[in-house]
Amino acid sequence: MIPTISFAHTTITNSTPSEGAVVTSDLSELSVEFAEEIENQSTLLLTNENGEDIPLDSITVNDNIVTGNLSTPLENGNYTITWKIAAKDGHAISGEIPFTVEAITKEDSVEEIPKQTENVQTEQENKDDSSTNTESSSTEELSEDSELTEANESENVQENKASLLPTISVIVLVVLLGAGILMLMRKKR
């Protein structure tokens, strides 16, 4: 969103936070700087994404800058600064500056530390377990390998028996067919 200006008598040269900014730290002050000097009756209004007004402790005008101070840090969310100023030539001008707060809260950082500590502890335990179990795991691997070899040999014997049965069946069938053909030929003579 571009700040709206009803008259082109002065423009914004800088703001804190800037339009569309994502603020990741505590914000204690809002300011809007203009190209020309502004009147003392100029003001700022801060609203959250629900349209609720966020109170400012004080609003000061110093030459071409209007500043608002916050008493407490803003919660994470979307906000809009609405500024209304009177230029030195008497024309009223207003506009909006939207921004977002995505600050890391103390709770977030406190939760993050135990997670990191847990990860380090788990990695260390895994290293300890792997070095302690190296000897026993290689013995287990050998016994597993020999069990697998025995199981494979047993399967091969069963497969050989299973493949032997069809072969014998085919041979018997061929012999019976051959015998039947011979008998038929003898009857015809």
Side-chain angles (χ1 to χ4, degrees):
M1 182 184 284
I2 298 175
T4 57
I5 299 175
S6 57
F7 298 101
H9 293 280
T10 189
T11 58
I12 295 176
T13 57
N14 192 20
S15 68
T16 303
S18 60
E19 182 178 358
V22 176
V23 179
T24 57
S25 60
D26 289 343
L27 187 63
S28 60
E29 182 179 272
L30 309 171
S31 68
V32 183
E33 183 178 348
F34 297 89
E36 298 175 12
E37 194 172 332
I38 56 176
E39 294 290 333
N40 284 338
Q41 64 264 32
S42 301
T43 187
L44 293 177
L45 176 67
L46 179 64
T47 54
N48 64 15
E49 56 197 25
N50 299 324
E52 300 166 338
D53 290 346
I54 307 297
L56 298 172
D57 281 347
S58 64
I59 299 172
T60 57
V61 177
N62 187 9
D63 293 328
N64 63 336
I65 300 174
V66 61
T67 304
N69 293 312
L70 296 162
S71 58
T72 58
L74 296 174
E75 295 178 6
N76 289 349
N78 296 317
Y79 294 89
T80 302
I81 301 170
T82 302
W83 51 268
K84 295 179 182 176
I85 64 159
K88 282 294 184 183
D89 64 6
H91 287 99
I93 304 169
S94 64
E96 295 180 338
I97 302 171
F99 66 96
T100 302
V101 174
E102 290 182 5
I104 297 175
T105 63
K106 290 180 183 178
E107 292 172 359
D108 291 342
S109 60
V110 167
E111 289 175 8
E112 198 62 35
I113 291 172
K115 287 180 184 176
Q116 291 173 351
T117 305
E118 283 178 18
N119 290 343
V120 170
Q121 288 174 343
T122 304
E123 289 174 8
Q124 185 62 39
E125 288 171 0
N126 288 342
K127 286 180 183 176
D128 291 346
D129 287 347
S130 66
S131 64
T132 304
N133 293 331
T134 302
E135 292 177 15
S136 63
S137 66
S138 39
T139 304
E140 289 173 8
E141 287 175 10
L142 289 175
S143 65
E144 286 177 10
D145 286 345
S146 62
E147 288 174 10
L148 287 175
T149 304
E150 289 173 13
N152 286 340
E153 288 175 2
S154 172
E155 286 176 15
N156 286 341
V157 168
Q158 289 175 354
E159 286 177 10
N160 287 341
K161 287 180 182 176
S163 65
L164 188 59
L165 183 62
T167 305
I168 292 173
S169 298
V170 168
I171 291 173
V172 169
L173 260 168
V174 169
V175 168
L176 287 175
L177 281 174
I181 292 174
L182 282 177
M183 287 171 79
L184 282 175
M185 291 179 125
R186 279 191 181 174
K187 284 186 179 180
K188 286 186 181 181
R189 288 188 197 177

